[in-house]
């Protein structure tokens, strides 16, 4: 049995989850066990898709050639690996879709984005797949910033990001752009050109309140700018950045999820970062956020 | 899984009139009198759109290889097709290819029909060079390359899935000769030179309003000069970042002013058989300067 701590929870896992921080013996919040999972899905699914079924407190997932998973009651994941599946692949879906489902079942908000520490708080950088989130997180790390979470930012009921685990996943192109040598890094899966980048002391392991949520919006124009979103308008963009929002309806959590989005909207700034989809410098983007996060100096009075 | 074919694919090699067709469909189905905004051509997601495919899969595909993702796409399209209440019109630049298991990437059970739009490769070469910010010689090279794909890099992720285009000839014949699906072939040149007739056929095939008034209003709204005027006022979201404009010339026979003799010969050498089949070469094997309005047989 492996004992880990991540997302503010203790995990007892029959499978090794290499990127997670190990923990002392404690009562588990979540158990991950190997066992048979139905080939056909849930008994009474509320939402049925080709590879995923959901019902209140239940999620069934069948990832072809990798594993079937059943995620229940916010505290149990049963894993049924496919015959030739490699452990890295199984682990990726455990730490992605299954973790997202567990957190939703525990009534947490999960934003698809990274969390970067800024002083006594953090900022979340969200955006669609391919919008540049992981590149930006790696660029912050190169500048000495600490990271709380990569890809999934789990938000607790005090509207804080709960730290995930000390690793970024970076594409070969990102590494090249940021002069990161990939030769000592392990691939996260043999099938893709993406590497596990250990964060060591640049992982921040305490929960932090959210100061701002930035949503990356690439466009085909040359300008790079921040557009503040205010009032009621913050709500829908936050909802759209929820991780695997498709799970919520079948889990019966749409109403609770709206309440969680509203409390984040009340507590945090929300802004879009409009950026060119090519030909831009990643450093400019980092500096744009640094400037935006710097409180304006109070103008000296001249009488 | 029950079969509910509900998707009309708007299938073409890039720069062959696909966006013009979408603008026409958007205007034809639009209920107000003004032209539809070029940035609101909500005719349906592109087949290679990650978000559209991921909505069906409901798990992350960020860490899957292109081949692994392609293996999932037929299931996604079947499910997306079943969920449509009315026929959808979805652009696609992927060639009609088959997976290692012998099944088509675009499943027959999801496909209500395929509108195959074909344009003279001599003109495509010029527009494609502009789109890719490449030289015309490079674009001629891409069009002859059986391995040519969009978004195929392994070292990063795009918001579009990999699209295997194949060569221009292979792309065109992959769709036009695709087995077991309902198809309608149109040539860009016919869309330009006899718009009422050609677009009425398109609307009829796609089960859209096809009365004279509706067609002529939609065509007026998506005239090239109107699309260009809109783009001058507000940038087109689908434009490539390194190019000035998307709606460029759109004229038939631009190659006669723009390509060198060597470039013309290269395109003909690369695509002779398919060009002849679709009326782009005359009986002497020379490029047709006046494209016959007679629709070639598929």
């Amino acid at each position: 049995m492996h004992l880990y701590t991540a997302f503010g929870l203790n995990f007892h896992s029959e499978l090794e989850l290499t990127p997670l921080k190990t923990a002392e013996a404690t009562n588990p919040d979540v158990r991950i066990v190997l066992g048979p999972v139905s080939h056909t899905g849930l008994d009474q699914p509320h939402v049925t898709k080709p590879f995923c079924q959901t019902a209140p407190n239940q999620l069934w997932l069948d990832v072809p050639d990798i594993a079937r998973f059943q995620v229940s009651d916010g505290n149990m994941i049963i894993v049924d690996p496919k015959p030739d599946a490699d452990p890295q692949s199984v682990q990726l879906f455990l730490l992605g879709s299954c973790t997202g489902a567990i957190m939703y079942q525990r009534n947490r908000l999960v934003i698809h984005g990274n969390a970067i520490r800024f002083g006594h708080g953090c900022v979340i950088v969200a955006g669609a797949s391919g919008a540049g989130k992981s590149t930006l997180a790696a660029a912050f790390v190169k500048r000495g910033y600490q990271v709380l979470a990569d890809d999934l930012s789990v938000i607790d009921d005090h509207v804080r990001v709960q730290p995930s685990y000390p690793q970024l996943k970076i594409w070969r192109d990102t590494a090249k752009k940021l002069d990161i040598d990939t030769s000592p890094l392990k691939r996260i899966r043999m099938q893709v050109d993406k590497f596990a980048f250990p964060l060591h002391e640049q992982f921040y392991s305490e929960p932090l309140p959210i100061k701002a949520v930035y949503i990356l919006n690439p466009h085909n124009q040359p300008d790079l700018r921040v557009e503040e979103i205010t009032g009621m308008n913050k709500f829908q963009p936050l909802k759209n950045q929820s991780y695997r929002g498709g799970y919520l309806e079948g889990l019966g959590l749409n109403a609770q999820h709206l309440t969680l989005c509203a409390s984040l909207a009340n507590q945090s700034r929300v802004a879009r970062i409009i950026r060119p989809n090519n030909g831009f410098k990643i450093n400019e983007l980092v500096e744009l956020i640094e400037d935006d996060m710097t409180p304006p100096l109070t103008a000296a009075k001249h009488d | 899984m029950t079969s509910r074919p509900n998707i009309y694919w708007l299938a073409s090699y890039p720069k062959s009139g696909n966006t013009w067709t979408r603008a026409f469909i958007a205007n034809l189905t639009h209920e107000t009198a003004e032209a539809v905004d070029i940035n609101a051509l909500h005719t349906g997601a592109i087949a290679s759109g990650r978000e559209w495919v991921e909505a069906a899969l409901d798990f992350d595909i960020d860490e899957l290889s292109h081949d692994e993702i392609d293996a999932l796409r037929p299931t996604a399209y079947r499910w997306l097709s079943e969920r449509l209440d009315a026929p959808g019109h979805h652009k696609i630049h992927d060639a009609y290819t088959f997976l290692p298991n012998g099944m088509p990437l675009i499943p027959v059970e999801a496909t209500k029909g395929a509108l195959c739009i074909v344009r003279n490769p001599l003109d495509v070469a010029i527009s494609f060079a502009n789109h890719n910010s490449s030289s015309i010689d490079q674009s001629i090279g891409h069009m002859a390359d059986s391995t040519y794909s969009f978004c195929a890099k392994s070292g990063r992720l795009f918001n579009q899935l990999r699209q295997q285009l194949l060569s221009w000839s292979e792309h065109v014949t992959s769709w036009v000769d695709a087995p077991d699906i309902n198809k309608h072939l149109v040539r860009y040149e016919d869309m330009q030179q006899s718009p009422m007739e050609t677009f009425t056929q398109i609307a009829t095939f796609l089960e859209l309003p096809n009365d004279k008034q509706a067609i002529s209003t939609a065509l007026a709204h998506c005239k090239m000069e109107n699309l260009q005027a809109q783009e001058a006022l507000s940038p087109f979201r689908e434009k490539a970042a390194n190019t000035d404009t998307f709606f460029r010339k759109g004229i038939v026979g631009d190659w006669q002013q723009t390509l060198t003799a060597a470039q013309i010969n290269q395109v003909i050498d690369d695509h002779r058989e398919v060009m002849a089949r679709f009326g782009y070469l005359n009986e002497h094997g020379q490029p047709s300067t006046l494209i016959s309005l007679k629709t070639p047989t598929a």
Side-chain angles (χ1 to χ4, degrees), chain A:
Chain A
M1 182 67 71
H2 305 273
L3 279 59
Y4 301 107
T5 176
F7 309 102
L9 301 173
N10 291 309
F11 289 77
H12 285 197
S13 176
E14 290 181 7
L15 284 139
E16 190 182 9
L17 302 171
T18 43
L20 298 201
K21 285 187 83 164
T22 53
E24 302 299 315
T26 51
N27 290 327
D29 299 298
V30 180
R31 291 174 199 272
I32 299 171
V33 298
L34 286 162
V37 172
S38 164
H39 289 228
T40 52
L42 302 175
D43 288 339
Q44 291 183 306
H46 283 212
V47 171
T48 301
K49 294 194 185 184
F51 303 105
C52 182
Q53 296 179 17
T54 41
N57 295 313
Q58 297 290 332
L59 178 134
W60 173 90
L61 188 64
D62 181 358
V63 185
D65 301 325
I66 295 180
R68 272 185 288 272
F69 304 91
Q70 183 148 355
V71 184
S72 309
D73 303 317
N75 59 23
M76 172 71 86
I77 304 172
I78 307 171
V79 187
D80 193 351
K82 302 281 172 94
D84 295 320
D86 56 281
Q88 295 101 312
S89 301
V90 176
Q91 176 177 291
L92 277 168
F93 287 93
L94 270 172
L95 295 177
S97 302
C98 294
T99 298
I102 280 279
M103 297 301 158
Y104 280 139
Q105 289 171 351
R106 299 179 77 91
N107 204 24
R108 298 259 165 100
L109 181 58
V110 188
I111 296 286
H112 195 190
N114 315 298
I116 316 289
R117 182 185 172 200
F118 271 78
H120 301 299
C122 66
V123 304
I124 293 177
V125 182
S129 294
K133 298 187 296 288
S134 65
T135 305
L136 187 59
F140 272 115
V141 167
K142 281 285 277 186
R143 290 205 166 198
Y145 283 82
Q146 288 180 304
V147 170
L148 286 85
D150 177 28
D151 209 27
L152 264 75
S153 286
V154 172
I155 297 162
D156 66 16
D157 42 16
H158 302 289
V159 200
R160 299 176 306 182
V161 170
Q162 284 286 348
S164 63
Y165 46 87
Q167 176 191 290
L168 294 183
K169 295 183 284 189
I170 55 171
W171 287 101
R172 183 186 291 282
D173 275 20
T174 300
K176 211 163 148 189
K177 201 181 278 180
L178 296 171
D179 286 327
I180 295 170
D181 177 14
T182 52
S183 57
L185 304 181
K186 285 191 181 130
R187 276 178 195 249
I188 57 162
R189 272 187 92 213
M190 291 318 294
Q191 297 84 341
V192 286
D193 247 356
K194 204 173 186 182
F195 298 88
F197 181 82
L199 286 170
H200 306 297
E201 68 282 1
Q202 282 187 270
F203 176 63
Y204 190 75
S205 57
E206 297 295 326
L208 284 176
I210 300 157
K211 293 183 169 180
V213 179
Y214 293 105
I215 300 165
L216 293 178
N217 273 148
H219 70 159
N220 58 10
Q221 302 298 308
D223 50 319
L224 170 66
R225 62 180 192 274
V226 177
E227 276 180 7
E228 196 76 23
I229 305 173
T230 56
M232 293 293 286
N233 295 330
K234 291 156 116 180
F235 185 75
Q236 192 63 36
L238 284 179
K239 194 167 161 266
N240 293 344
Q241 301 307 318
S242 301
Y243 177 76
R244 303 248 68 89
Y247 292 171
L248 292 159
E249 187 191 343
L251 290 169
L253 292 172
N254 271 344
Q256 287 95 319
H257 183 252
L258 296 186
T259 310
L260 295 175
C261 288
S263 64
L264 177 55
N266 281 337
Q267 183 137 340
S268 165
R269 281 183 57 208
V270 180
R272 283 186 198 286
I273 297 182
I274 314 291
R275 70 154 181 88
N277 57 11
N278 70 354
F280 82 106
K281 305 270 187 298
I282 187 71
N283 285 334
E284 289 176 29
L285 188 49
V286 171
E287 284 158 18
L288 182 78
I289 293 176
E290 284 178 331
D291 288 349
D292 194 60
M293 286 301 295
T294 306
L297 294 171
T298 311
K301 279 188 179 174
H302 300 285
D303 291 320

Side-chain angles (χ1 to χ4, degrees), chain B residues 266-281:
Chain B
Q266 185 64 52
V267 172
I268 295 171
D269 274 353
D270 293 339
H271 305 291
R272 181 170 283 108
E273 197 182 320
V274 178
M275 285 180 75
R277 177 175 168 187
F278 293 101
Y280 297 124
L281 296 179

